[in-house]
Amino acid sequence: MKRLLFGFALLGTAAWAQPVDVTSQYVENPDFAARFAAWVNPGKFTYNIANTFEGKSGQVWMEKWVSRGNTLGTNTGIYQTLRNLPNGTYTLVAAAKNVDQTKTAQICTGAYLYAGQEQTAINVPGDYYVTFTVVNGKADVGVRLKSCNGNWVCIDNFRLYYCGENTDSMAAEQKRVDEQLKAMADKIEKASPTSLKVSTYEFVPTGKTIALGRSTVSGTCKEKGFCWSTHSEPTIFDEHTTETLDGTSIYVMRGLSPATPYYVRAYAMTSGGYVAYGEVHKIVTLPSGNIIYSYDNAALNDTKYTEQQALDVNARINSASAECIWMYNQLTYIPGFSLSVHYNRGAGAGDGTADCSYGGWLRVSQNVPYQQTGTILHETNHAVGIGTTWEWTNNSNLRSETSRGKWLGPIATKMVRFINNNTTSLMDGDKSHMWPYGINGANEDSYQPSNIPLYFYNIFLTHALHQDGIPCSGSVGFASPAYLFEQCDTTKYYLRNNAFATGYMYGTKLSVKFKDVSIEELKADDSFAWYVRYEPRKRYYYFINVATGKALTYDSGFRVTTCTTPTSAELFHLLPARVESELGNDNVSIRSTAYWILHPNKYSSPALTATAKSVVESKVDLGNEAISQQWFLLTADELDALSTGIEPVPADKESTATRTVYDLSGRRVYDTSRFGIYIVNGKKVLGPIHNL
């Protein structure tokens, strides 16, 4: 068995370099101080803080346990994908054991520490190691169980060492990878087409390093998942995943780079190797920006505890806070925010729960059910504006009853409908709380791995509320910008105002103007056409006039300027309207979302506004009726659909669906293979049409 007996003596050979500890660079949460953060846990390992594992390092460790006299059997395991590894050979070390508590002398089998393609068996308590080679920059590491005859497996204290480049090992691993890829490519090339069809859900919740996806698959398949890339046609030969949130059909895309555009789509594969893909969506990840937390460990000052009890309380609160902040850092971006966590006997309601102020002063009581991740997440919601800001309790634009009731913001609505896979779901709430997914009591949190989906939903929904208008911190203002309009850098867009059926904005060499114009005139004059670009690090859009090359800018009014790189004056916040509009006439209609185009300035952002003859600045009015401040960004295809000269619709595009229009919210870039005019109930409708 490969136990670490004395340093790295077992690796002794002149071919190896002196091992270098690279744990902190490449392994997240290696000692589980942040509970499940960064680890994928299909085997439902649970965390423990007791002193019953000899290899425990720090406060928290992981275990899989069944009652004495039973065995663990096959239960997959717990793992993490390491990324951006320099090619070469590594040694992974971890403290572990696999034991039968009724047969203490038995050497148990069926538990393995693994890394890449290599593994070593775990049995008696001790340090175990596995040596592996990397040629493509990444490797899965963790523990797996297969026919395990122990009843208790423990794991903690992962360490990673870089051992240098070994020519023979790297050549052998490269050969294995190449053969595997070739075999897959050959199988796919020879596969016979089937009726398998895949559709990608239009809304793709996107954080800093993690995005979620849904799909609809019709037909028989062996494998389903999502693939993604920085190029526009991702395939399974790019990054891909079959991981879903526990107990759901929501896919998890991990390891994304911050502030980076990606293209994602669903896929499904038959046993014969035929692959069908869904529609491609462009997403842009959030920039880096670490939220931090502190904890005062004040349970040690509570005289009602023994020293060990106080240490346990501190371990629970500290690890729950660490897990909460890790998830916030992967799924959101809130500049200038830190959480200050405190132990306080009796804090919160009743005999002790928890409470938190807007800004982040959080208190946790003596009651164990509240010393958990779900409670910290719930209270952090208050810290970032949910239930604690004027916009939450007094905004009739965002609440059906001003201070409570159904939420009217479009992004949170899309988020809850994505989670529920239901096109009519709405988020609700009172003056302090939101539901569903608000974790509004310790009874809603099992504080073990089965609640990881709930945690993700809670944070993504909070992030969506910020995009709708809740100020997450004083440095942000009324809404948090994000990539909400799915644009293409090379597509021409035409800015039509919501208050004027034929009114469009155009650019000159000095200014921006507005007038009524026909679609034929629009397409013939590039001064009406704009390139819409996105700056991922700032989370804002900018506009370049096609005819002049000048950029839209704001300087005591809206005008144009020459610039090669947009400054803050050229960056604009696109805030989606809460009510979709139907454009067109009796012959054809499309549904589209209009946007406020705002120069970001916290609470007083000036809005691009149309009058009958000009473009002006006005104070932002977030009411649904403020249509002169709302702009549609239409493509040439959409203009064609609205024009009178529509080509006859092929018979194979006819539909007997009962909907009269197609919902284009969550806009995306179309190509000719998916875009067209469809007949729905005798009416021409801009497509594609899905989920009908």
Side-chain angles (χ1 to χ4, degrees):
M1 61 183 176
K2 293 184 178 179
R3 295 181 60 203
L4 198 65
L5 300 180
F6 182 73
F8 282 89
L10 291 177
L11 302 178
T13 169
W16 299 102
Q18 180 65 31
V20 178
D21 189 338
V22 293
T23 308
S24 60
Q25 291 104 299
Y26 301 111
V27 187
E28 290 190 81
N29 191 25
D31 58 358
F32 304 106
R35 300 194 184 183
F36 303 104
W39 294 90
V40 184
N41 187 19
K44 293 183 171 59
F45 276 62
T46 57
Y47 86 92
N48 202 328
I49 58 173
N51 295 319
T52 52
F53 173 37
E54 302 87 338
K56 172 183 176 181
S57 174
Q59 299 171 312
V60 184
W61 46 279
M62 291 291 166
E63 67 177 348
K64 186 69 182 178
W65 180 86
V66 292
S67 57
R68 296 171 187 246
N70 295 291
T71 60
L72 289 169
T74 298
N75 202 288
T76 59
I78 185 169
Y79 71 94
Q80 180 178 155
T81 300
L82 309 185
R83 295 178 171 86
N84 303 313
L85 295 169
N87 290 341
T89 300
Y90 294 80
T91 294
L92 179 73
V93 185
K97 72 176 179 182
N98 171 25
V99 298
D100 184 330
Q101 290 176 292
T102 62
K103 303 174 183 177
T104 56
Q106 175 178 296
I107 299 297
C108 292
T109 60
Y112 305 92
L113 175 71
Y114 75 95
Q117 300 299 307
E118 307 299 330
Q119 66 180 28
T120 188
I122 298 169
N123 37 69
V124 299
D127 271 353
Y128 289 82
Y129 79 87
V130 59
T131 298
F132 64 105
T133 300
V134 173
V135 294
N136 59 359
K138 66 179 183 178
D140 287 347
V141 302
V143 170
R144 63 165 61 102
L145 307 182
K146 186 175 182 180
S147 301
C148 180
N149 62 2
N151 78 297
W152 192 22
V153 169
C154 305
I155 188 75
D156 197 12
N157 195 19
F158 280 82
R159 288 146 281 169
L160 182 69
Y161 298 87
Y162 181 61
C163 304
E165 295 186 3
N166 180 286
T167 303
D168 292 342
S169 297
M170 292 182 66
E173 177 63 11
Q174 188 64 62
K175 180 180 179 182
R176 185 196 66 79
V177 170
D178 290 345
E179 289 175 347
Q180 185 181 51
L181 289 174
K182 185 178 184 305
M184 180 183 293
D186 289 344
K187 183 177 182 180
I188 291 173
E189 184 178 359
K190 296 174 183 177
S192 300
T194 72
S195 59
L196 184 65
K197 293 183 179 180
V198 179
S199 179
T200 309
Y201 197 98
E202 284 190 284
F203 185 62
V204 181
T206 304
K208 184 179 82 171
T209 65
I210 293 173
L212 305 180
R214 270 194 182 276
S215 66
T216 300
V217 177
S218 62
T220 302
C221 65
K222 181 181 180 180
E223 177 180 311
K224 296 187 290 186
F226 263 73
C227 55
W228 65 95
S229 177
T230 54
H231 65 76
S232 60
E233 293 293 328
T235 73
I236 60 170
F237 293 100
D238 297 303
E239 293 286 342
H240 64 282
T241 185
T242 59
E243 179 199 346
T244 57
L245 287 176
D246 183 36
T248 77
S249 55
I250 293 176
Y251 293 91
V252 186
M253 293 169 270
R254 298 179 186 264
L256 305 176
S257 297
T260 302
Y262 285 96
Y263 298 87
V264 308
R265 60 176 166 178
Y267 77 89
M269 181 188 296
T270 67
S271 58
Y274 175 71
V275 182
Y277 293 99
E279 302 83 4
V280 175
H281 293 303
K282 181 180 179 181
I283 63 172
V284 181
T285 52
L286 298 171
S288 292
N290 289 326
I291 299 171
I292 60 174
Y293 85 98
S294 61
Y295 174 56
D296 63 7
N297 288 294
L300 288 168
N301 301 326
D302 190 332
T303 58
K304 294 185 178 181
Y305 286 137
T306 66
E307 181 179 3
Q308 186 58 55
Q309 288 172 330
L311 290 172
D312 289 348
V313 169
N314 286 337
R316 281 191 292 270
I317 297 175
N318 199 48
S319 60
S321 300
E323 184 177 35
C324 167
I325 295 305
W326 181 88
M327 287 187 287
Y328 254 88
N329 278 326
Q330 309 314 307
L331 305 181
T332 72
Y333 171 72
I334 304 178
F337 176 71
S338 62
L339 192 67
S340 181
V341 185
H342 306 268
Y343 169 79
N344 188 293
R345 180 174 285 273
D351 293 329
T353 54
D355 56 25
C356 189
S357 68
Y358 179 50
W361 185 271
L362 193 160
R363 304 188 306 166
V364 183
S365 75
Q366 75 282 3
N367 289 317
V368 171
Y370 294 93
Q371 298 166 0
Q372 308 299 344
T373 302
T375 293
I376 304 299
L377 283 170
H378 172 91
E379 299 303 334
T380 302
N381 282 355
H382 295 321
V384 296
I386 310 305
T388 50
T389 56
W390 180 92
E391 287 78 5
W392 178 263
T393 57
N394 294 285
N395 196 327
S396 60
N397 292 320
L398 293 173
R399 300 293 288 276
S400 60
E401 299 176 34
T402 302
S403 63
R404 61 193 307 139
K406 301 297 183 184
W407 185 257
L408 305 177
I411 310 305
T413 297
K414 289 181 181 181
M415 186 68 225
V416 75
R417 290 177 179 181
F418 169 88
I419 296 169
N420 292 348
N421 198 21
N422 185 315
T423 58
T424 63
S425 293
L426 290 172
M427 202 204 78
D428 208 332
D430 57 21
K431 290 186 176 181
S432 300
H433 304 116
M434 67 179 189
W435 55 81
Y437 313 117
I439 320 180
N440 299 315
N443 60 296
E444 296 184 21
D445 179 22
S446 65
Y447 51 88
Q448 286 294 6
S450 60
N451 260 21
I452 295 298
L454 174 62
Y455 300 161
F456 273 42
Y457 300 159
N458 177 271
I459 296 175
F460 265 124
L461 194 50
T462 301
H463 179 49
L465 289 166
H466 291 153
Q467 294 169 39
D468 280 336
I470 298 298
C472 50
S473 68
S475 63
V476 172
F478 75 90
S480 182
Y483 186 72
L484 302 180
F485 171 69
E486 188 178 328
Q487 49 70 242
C488 175
D489 286 355
T490 58
T491 295
K492 296 178 182 179
Y493 294 92
Y494 300 86
L495 276 62
R496 170 178 161 178
N497 190 266
N498 197 9
F500 300 90
T502 57
Y504 291 82
M505 187 176 81
Y506 66 100
T508 70
K509 292 183 179 180
L510 298 175
S511 64
V512 287
K513 297 185 178 182
F514 181 79
K515 71 176 182 180
D516 284 347
V517 64
S518 70
I519 290 176
E520 291 74 17
E521 291 174 295
L522 280 175
K523 295 179 67 178
D525 185 353
D526 273 349
S527 65
F528 287 95
W530 300 84
Y531 293 125
V532 181
R533 309 282 168 76
Y534 185 75
E535 189 1 270
R537 292 167 296 178
K538 300 293 186 180
R539 301 178 295 157
Y540 292 117
Y541 292 83
Y542 59 104
F543 298 78
I544 305 295
N545 187 262
V546 176
T548 66
K550 297 292 187 71
L552 182 67
T553 190
Y554 178 83
D555 182 9
S556 300
F558 292 95
R559 57 184 182 84
V560 293
T561 188
T562 300
C563 73
T564 54
T565 301
T567 68
S568 59
E570 287 77 57
L571 296 176
F572 296 92
H573 185 169
L574 293 191
L575 186 69
R578 291 171 291 279
V579 179
E580 288 188 328
S581 300
E582 184 174 341
L583 309 180
N585 49 48
D586 291 339
N587 294 321
V588 63
S589 67
I590 65 174
R591 288 191 71 83
S592 186
T593 298
Y595 293 82
W596 279 274
I597 300 177
L598 308 173
H599 179 63
N601 186 21
K602 290 190 179 179
Y603 295 95
S604 58
S605 301
L608 185 72
T609 306
T611 68
K613 295 183 179 180
S614 62
V615 175
V616 298
E617 167 195 352
S618 64
K619 181 179 179 181
V620 61
D621 179 354
L622 297 180
N624 293 331
E625 68 282 354
I627 57 176
S628 64
Q629 295 185 0
Q630 300 171 13
W631 298 82
F632 298 102
L633 283 66
L634 303 176
T635 66
D637 280 335
E638 290 169 316
L639 293 179
D640 286 341
L642 295 174
S643 70
T644 57
I646 301 174
E647 294 297 323
V649 180
D652 62 356
K653 289 187 177 180
E654 293 192 354
S655 169
T656 58
T658 57
R659 285 176 66 180
T660 58
V661 292
Y662 175 57
D663 184 350
L664 286 178
S665 61
R667 303 273 296 283
R668 65 172 177 270
V669 179
Y670 300 100
D671 63 41
T672 55
S673 67
R674 300 193 305 272
F675 186 88
I677 306 300
Y678 295 75
I679 297 295
V680 180
N681 284 355
K683 190 175 183 180
K684 292 178 179 177
V685 178
L686 182 64
I689 296 178
H690 300 293
N691 302 322
L692 293 176

